[in-house]
Amino acid sequence: YHGAQLLLNTTDMGKSWTEVSPDLTRNEKEKQGKAGVPYTNEGVGAENYGTLSYVVESPHERGVIWTGSDDGLVHLTRDGGVSWKNVTPKGLAECLINAIEVSPFDKGTAYIATTRYKLNDQTPGLYKTIDYGQTWTRINTGIAPNAFTRVIREDDVRRDLLFAGTELGLYISWNGGKDWSPFQRNLAVTPITDLRVHRGNLIASTAGRGLWVLDDLTLLRQYRADGPDLALYRPADAWLTNSGSELDQSNESFTGADLTRGVNPATGIVLYYRLPKRDTTERVTLEVRDAAGTLVRRYSSVQDTTVKTWGSAPPADPVLPTATGLNRIVWDLRHATMPGVPGVHMEANYRGHKASPGSYRFTLTLGSRTVTTEAAILANPLYAMDAAGYAEYDAFMSAMERELTQMHETVNKLLPMQERLTSVLAELPADAAYAGLKRDGTALLAKLKAWDEEMIQRRTKVYDDVENFPQKFTAHYIFLLNQTESERPQVNQPAKERRTELDKAWAALKARSDAIVNEEIPALNRKLSDAGIGAVGKEPPKTRVVP
């Protein structure tokens, strides 16, 4: 279709055209002369008046077509142009029909956006019909009186969720246009020339400030002002991609998208939740579980005070935001972060691997109250991976991550015991009565030091120290783990063979540490106790280390 002063139709890709309407404008001859005369002739074709400015075919019914003209007339045909009806809102003054929106939900409902700024009238002009234009209702309440309107769109999932583009920005209506609220957020204050709801996003074109996208209308489609005070909204499903975005931040650190360039959508599952007014010390937790109920990730609103920091420590999990009202956090699709060894620099990635495609359940807990929702991770269609391949990769990575976690927790548990034993031996009296105790303690200390030196290279403190000091066991283990991780999740044969070698070595190392922890330290502690000396030490609380 093509709009001139009448509607034209082609069925052969523009080789020929047919008139399918009479003149659908006011056809005021006095306004069809050369623009600018008698002073300046501007009749170059850009100032035509009395033409169709908008044409839309109904998505519901074949042959139902709406037109709007730049001089303020709205027409409708319901038989493909055989007959036309003037359905202009009663009393509508001369104006530009800038947009027509047919409701995605009801074939007789439509909206129009009109403007009269060229007539020095800045008033917004939005109208709605529910009966094919027989009657119209003006729907401008809440829009600034000088924010003249350019476009109106309805969401294609939630009925009556409307968006309006005006000269002064974006507006939203939750109730079919009965009232509006500004919906500017971080969008530049600029004329909105067009809007489109497309694949769950709202796309806006502006006059001079580029194209903008409100990614993921999922939250808006669920939001209710009178909804429960504790809510966890169902997030959109996420693709398993190999991209990144500044939108991956939670709202504790997120300051808005860059205003000068395009920004990728968030790459994880974006979770929004609503919290009531309450004692702000009350803990909030969020758990992520897979379809089998296995815990994949856990977040808390309470900062872990036992964490230690150093230059290359594992990244800290984000702390759950706890503001009254709406909060946001992005699950990066990864399993739990593995611990490091405080003070030891390792050129390694401690983050857990990405979860496999499938359904996941999210549980938000506030005190004794819980709310749940679900979402899915979608497989990357670019990779020819089947369920068995994802399962093999997940099992391989999960097992290695568990072992690495146990390795570093054991290292971190035994070091304080080593330090305590060193102190105890230094304080033992020189009497012959303590010679046997000193001999046993010295032997155990040697075992502790030897085991620690095989597990960890403690002389690496900064970047490139790994070139100066040979790496020890856990560095080799996490290296294999990191090298196996891939955005195309698959496990190759050399990785399997190398893991077999490392697991055999770890079995021997673990047997030694188990013997030290479960047999030799308790035995020495009994001797120390008999001698009236304090024990080497109990297991310290587990700590997670962060940069």
Side-chain angles (χ1 to χ4, degrees):
Y1 296 98
H2 173 71
Q5 75 276 21
L6 46 77
L7 189 64
L8 299 167
N9 166 252
T10 180
T11 58
D12 56 12
M13 298 296 291
K15 292 180 181 179
S16 61
W17 292 86
T18 304
E19 297 179 4
V20 292
S21 79
D23 192 322
L24 300 177
T25 73
R26 296 178 188 269
N27 193 21
E28 296 173 319
K29 298 299 184 182
E30 67 275 14
K31 299 178 180 177
Q32 296 174 8
K34 295 180 179 180
V37 295
Y39 304 105
T40 303
N41 181 2
E42 297 177 351
V44 295
E47 295 81 16
N48 292 333
Y49 194 66
T51 58
L52 298 183
S53 51
Y54 208 91
V55 177
V56 61
E57 186 175 21
S58 172
H60 310 290
E61 302 171 281
R62 183 181 181 89
V64 176
I65 304 169
W66 300 74
T67 69
S69 69
D70 61 4
D71 53 12
L73 296 184
V74 182
H75 284 83
L76 172 68
T77 179
R78 300 178 67 177
D79 53 18
V82 176
S83 61
W84 289 84
K85 182 179 181 180
N86 186 335
V87 293
T88 306
K90 186 177 180 180
L92 182 65
E94 182 179 2
C95 63
L96 167 66
I97 308 297
N98 206 63
I100 305 174
E101 172 80 349
V102 179
S103 171
F105 304 97
D106 181 68
K107 57 188 179 181
T109 298
Y111 308 86
I112 61 174
T114 70
T115 63
R116 282 176 46 84
Y117 69 93
K118 294 181 180 180
L119 300 170
N120 202 29
D121 182 355
Q122 311 292 313
T123 307
L126 301 178
Y127 296 82
K128 176 181 181 179
T129 181
I130 59 174
D131 52 15
Y132 290 99
Q134 295 183 53
T135 60
W136 292 86
T137 302
R138 191 160 183 166
I139 52 170
N140 300 312
T141 302
I143 298 178
N146 61 336
F148 66 81
T149 46
R150 295 178 178 270
V151 62
I152 182 171
R153 301 294 182 208
E154 185 172 14
D155 183 46
D156 57 9
V157 171
R158 177 172 174 175
R159 181 189 292 267
D160 291 335
L161 175 58
L162 302 180
F163 304 97
T166 77
E167 183 70 4
L168 302 180
L170 186 64
Y171 283 79
I172 189 171
S173 174
W174 305 92
N175 51 21
K178 293 178 181 178
D179 55 65
W180 297 84
S181 303
F183 195 55
Q184 205 62 24
R185 308 300 292 166
N186 66 323
L187 177 63
V189 178
T190 184
I192 307 298
T193 55
D194 204 355
L195 294 168
R196 183 181 180 188
V197 175
H198 180 64
R199 299 182 68 173
N201 306 306
L202 179 65
I203 306 171
S205 66
T206 71
R209 296 299 296 270
L211 294 169
W212 291 66
V213 178
L214 177 62
D215 288 308
D216 189 6
L217 295 175
T218 303
L219 176 63
L220 298 184
R221 290 166 173 171
Q222 300 175 70
Y223 175 76
R224 298 290 187 278
D226 58 352
D229 59 357
L230 178 64
L232 177 60
Y233 299 98
R234 184 184 179 98
D237 297 339
W239 295 94
L240 194 58
T241 64
N242 51 359
S243 55
S245 172
E246 60 201 60
L247 296 180
D248 291 341
Q249 306 167 75
S250 70
N251 68 336
E252 288 289 284
S253 55
F254 179 58
T255 57
D258 192 286
L259 300 182
T260 61
R261 58 174 171 77
V263 177
N264 286 335
T267 57
I269 288 182
V270 183
L271 292 146
Y272 288 94
Y273 55 95
R274 187 175 183 177
L275 297 177
K277 291 183 179 179
R278 70 204 183 285
D279 180 355
T280 55
T281 62
E282 195 171 10
R283 183 189 297 264
V284 182
T285 60
L286 176 68
E287 289 187 347
V288 183
R289 295 182 180 271
D290 63 18
T294 304
L295 182 66
V296 176
R297 197 71 177 270
R298 186 177 189 274
Y299 299 98
S300 173
S301 63
V302 178
Q303 180 73 54
D304 187 351
T305 58
T306 65
V307 297
K308 296 183 179 181
T309 63
W310 75 96
S312 62
D317 280 340
V319 176
L320 279 180
T322 58
T324 299
L326 196 64
N327 294 273
R328 175 183 183 274
I329 190 169
V330 181
W331 175 41
D332 58 7
L333 311 184
R334 291 187 176 276
H335 286 253
T337 303
M338 296 167 283
V341 177
V344 174
H345 175 82
M346 294 176 65
E347 293 183 8
N349 180 2
Y350 294 93
R351 297 180 302 170
H353 69 288
K354 285 188 176 181
S356 297
S359 297
Y360 291 83
R361 189 167 184 83
F362 305 88
T363 302
L364 184 76
T365 301
L366 172 64
S368 61
R369 303 172 64 187
T370 62
V371 287
T372 62
T373 191
E374 295 179 347
I377 297 176
L378 306 176
N380 191 323
L382 301 178
Y383 302 147
M385 292 287 296
D386 57 17
Y390 281 112
E392 180 189 33
Y393 173 79
D394 181 72
F396 187 95
M397 298 296 290
S398 293
M400 289 200 70
E401 287 167 7
R402 285 193 299 269
E403 294 300 321
L404 192 280
T405 296
Q406 185 179 24
M407 292 174 195
H408 283 174
E409 286 180 346
T410 304
V411 168
N412 293 334
K413 176 176 66 177
L414 290 183
L415 181 63
M417 295 182 182
Q418 181 186 147
E419 293 171 342
R420 170 63 179 156
L421 180 55
T422 300
S423 176
V424 166
L425 291 174
E427 294 171 1
L428 282 177
D431 299 356
Y434 294 97
L437 187 57
K438 196 166 189 176
R439 181 184 63 252
D440 293 343
T442 301
L444 178 56
L445 181 60
K447 290 183 178 181
L448 283 167
K449 288 182 176 180
W451 186 87
D452 186 85
E453 289 174 358
E454 288 184 51
M455 292 291 290
I456 292 291
Q457 176 54 269
R458 293 191 177 274
R459 289 183 292 176
T460 54
K461 301 296 183 182
V462 296
Y463 177 72
D464 271 359
D465 270 357
V466 295
E467 297 182 4
N468 302 317
F469 307 109
Q471 292 301 284
K472 300 303 178 70
F473 182 74
T474 70
H476 294 295
Y477 201 89
I478 199 171
F479 177 83
L480 174 60
L481 188 59
N482 290 167
Q483 293 302 308
T484 306
E485 183 181 10
S486 171
E487 293 294 346
R488 181 171 183 164
Q490 61 185 20
V491 184
N492 60 30
Q493 188 60 32
K496 297 177 184 178
E497 294 171 358
R498 178 58 173 153
R499 179 188 165 191
T500 299
E501 295 173 355
L502 292 173
D503 282 349
K504 183 178 180 179
W506 168 230
L509 287 163
K510 184 176 183 299
R512 288 165 55 188
S513 64
D514 287 346
I516 290 172
V517 172
N518 299 325
E519 300 171 15
E520 299 182 47
I521 288 179
L524 180 64
N525 280 338
R526 286 191 294 271
K527 294 179 182 179
L528 290 170
S529 178
D530 292 343
I533 301 171
V536 168
K538 297 180 180 180
E539 178 180 346
K542 294 179 180 179
T543 61
R544 255 213 347 106
V545 286
V546 298

